[in-house]
Amino acid sequence: MREQRRLGWETCHLTSPKQAGASLAEEVVDGWLFYRTLATPTTSVPGVNEWLMMRQLERRLLEVAQRTQPQLLHAHSPVLNALPALRVGRKLGIPVVYEVRAFWEDAAVDHGSTTEGSLRYRLTRAMETWALRRADHVFTICEGLRIDIVGRGIPAGDVTVIPNAVDIDLFEPGGVPDHVLKTDLGLQGASVIGFIGSFYAYEGLDLLLAAFPAILAKRPDARILLVGGGPQEAALKAQAARLGLADKVVFTGRVPHGEVRRYYDLVDVLAYPRHSMRLTELVTPLKPLEAMAQGRLLVASDVGGHKELIRDGVNGILFESGSAGALANAIVDVLASPERELTIKRAARSFVETERNWQASVANYVDVYKALISK
């Protein structure tokens, strides 16, 4: 949104009933005005909650649109946002674009609320496809998702990739470790393998723990630093205890956003061991780009989403997904090669400076917006 403003556009922002903790109809956050859609009462009847949320979002969107008079509606996934936007766009006679950052049905599979191929999965997929076909244009964040969308019958010319990116001004290469923090966490003198983010099953942190004994056999000074939290936290702690690694794996819990940089500065190599599944094969993550912007060394599984960002041996290291042995070897090898490490860090920073910054990414909206508005 900041880059869109820099291009001279006026942006208005509406969140859905799924926005956590919304209690005001309008709220200013960091100088940005957000219109809120207050949460709806919930029921235990399958599908009814989603229908109620969409109806409430549609009413609120129509109200905000009539007040702000937009020339275009830009809905973000999931389809719970797209369907209300399409209905309001048709009522007001203005174009609607739909931006897909992941497919709702694939995220539900990872969360365990459905299975691939189930009735719910197929219905959700059908709803997504219905919305994609009716949007005036489709944006998505990576090539994997673009290929999937075109495969659903959407003309290739109606799908534009807006790549995930970072604000390079917010990230400085390198950084000096905070020795007090490092000592407090028991990491003094250690080679630190880190992950900073949410603990979802698809992130593959269980694989990192499984690989850790082999890493320790060659690097006894190695320690794992896990910063964040999520659904898998308890299972990961239990796994570390079961493997006898509890004293060598540090769980910090969630940390304030402003403190995250201090933890990045403690890490020697960042690990992104995502498991292979539809979600990780199709979707590019943001965290590796943030690591690259800081000139960090990273090791990642060779799932499709990572391969769009990481050039093996150039701006990061890829290993065979699902293989604990390959992950252990990759981490041990890169820690043993300081000169190679420096070259990779420089290439990583250069990659985001030239290709994956928000200015370059948001520029891809310009021609589409202009063409739709001119109609």
Side-chain angles (χ1 to χ4, degrees):
M1 293 189 298
R2 185 162 49 243
E3 289 299 332
Q4 289 180 335
R5 289 277 182 92
R6 288 173 181 168
L7 289 170
W9 300 330
E10 180 183 354
T11 62
C12 301
H13 327 104
L14 172 66
T15 57
S16 83
K18 293 177 72 69
Q19 175 72 23
S23 59
L24 300 174
E26 299 178 18
E27 187 175 6
V28 176
V29 181
D30 294 335
W32 294 81
L33 172 62
F34 289 90
Y35 295 97
R36 304 295 192 195
T37 309
L38 302 185
T40 56
T42 58
T43 75
S44 58
V45 183
V48 173
N49 288 334
E50 288 78 9
W51 182 82
L52 290 172
M53 283 192 289
M54 286 191 289
R55 290 292 295 165
Q56 185 154 343
L57 179 57
E58 180 184 337
R59 288 193 293 268
R60 180 63 168 148
L61 177 55
L62 181 60
E63 175 187 312
V64 171
Q66 288 172 333
R67 185 192 310 182
T68 59
Q69 296 293 304
Q71 294 171 284
L72 177 144
L73 295 179
H74 187 138
H76 286 259
S77 53
V79 71
L80 296 179
N81 297 330
L83 296 181
L86 286 166
R87 285 176 60 85
V88 172
R90 297 301 176 261
K91 286 179 181 178
L92 299 181
I94 58 177
V96 178
V97 300
Y98 181 28
E99 181 156 339
V100 177
R101 296 180 168 269
F103 287 121
W104 188 25
E105 63 269 24
D106 294 327
V109 169
D110 181 71
H111 296 157
S113 56
T114 191
T115 56
E116 190 169 334
S118 69
L119 177 61
R120 176 182 173 182
Y121 184 94
R122 287 182 281 117
L123 284 172
T124 306
R125 181 178 173 84
M127 287 170 64
E128 286 279 8
T129 302
W130 191 92
L132 289 166
R133 289 176 176 170
R134 283 155 181 79
D136 293 289
H137 198 86
V138 177
F139 294 110
T140 190
I141 63 170
C142 59
E143 187 62 21
L145 286 172
R146 188 195 71 81
I147 291 170
D148 186 278
I149 291 166
V150 171
R152 299 181 188 217
I154 313 304
D158 291 341
V159 185
T160 300
V161 174
I162 308 292
N164 254 343
V166 292
D167 187 341
I168 56 176
D169 294 334
L170 298 180
F171 298 95
E172 291 294 330
V176 178
D178 182 330
H179 291 291
V180 174
L181 177 60
K182 196 167 189 177
T183 300
D184 289 345
L185 295 173
L187 298 173
Q188 202 68 11
S191 294
V192 181
I193 304 157
F195 174 87
I196 299 174
S198 297
F199 301 169
Y200 291 114
Y202 62 79
E203 294 292 3
L205 297 178
D206 58 322
L207 186 73
L208 177 60
L209 293 182
F212 197 32
I215 296 171
L216 284 169
K218 296 181 180 179
R219 294 290 301 236
D221 66 327
R223 298 292 183 270
I224 290 178
L225 175 65
L226 300 179
V227 180
Q232 295 297 306
E233 185 171 355
L236 292 169
K237 288 180 177 178
Q239 182 184 3
R242 190 168 59 250
L243 293 171
L245 303 172
D247 61 331
K248 297 177 175 62
V249 180
V250 179
F251 291 85
T252 68
R254 299 184 188 276
V255 301
H257 183 72
E259 296 289 308
V260 169
R261 177 60 186 267
R262 297 175 66 216
Y263 291 84
Y264 269 116
D265 289 341
L266 303 180
V267 176
D268 294 294
V269 55
L270 286 154
Y272 300 102
R274 286 188 158 193
H275 291 301
S276 178
M277 58 179 292
R278 258 184 59 86
L279 187 147
T280 59
E281 293 292 345
L282 293 179
V283 180
T284 55
L286 187 58
K287 291 298 180 183
L289 289 175
E290 294 181 351
M292 290 182 193
Q294 297 175 73
R296 303 289 177 183
L297 184 64
L298 58 91
V299 170
S301 58
D302 62 353
V303 295
H306 284 152
K307 289 195 288 187
E308 282 196 41
L309 304 176
I310 301 165
R311 298 160 191 166
D312 186 31
V314 178
N315 60 357
I317 303 296
L318 293 172
F319 71 91
E320 181 185 354
S321 65
S323 171
L327 172 55
N329 290 336
I331 289 175
V332 169
D333 288 350
V334 78
L335 286 174
S337 308
E339 291 183 3
R340 183 187 184 206
E341 176 183 330
L342 183 60
T343 302
I344 291 173
K345 287 179 177 179
R346 287 172 176 167
R349 173 68 184 188
S350 176
F351 174 66
V352 294
E353 285 180 339
T354 56
E355 298 183 40
R356 289 305 182 101
N357 61 81
W358 281 122
Q359 183 177 6
S361 184
V362 170
N364 293 293
Y365 287 124
V366 175
D367 289 343
V368 177
Y369 275 12
K370 286 182 177 178
L372 290 176
I373 291 171
S374 69
K375 293 179 180 180

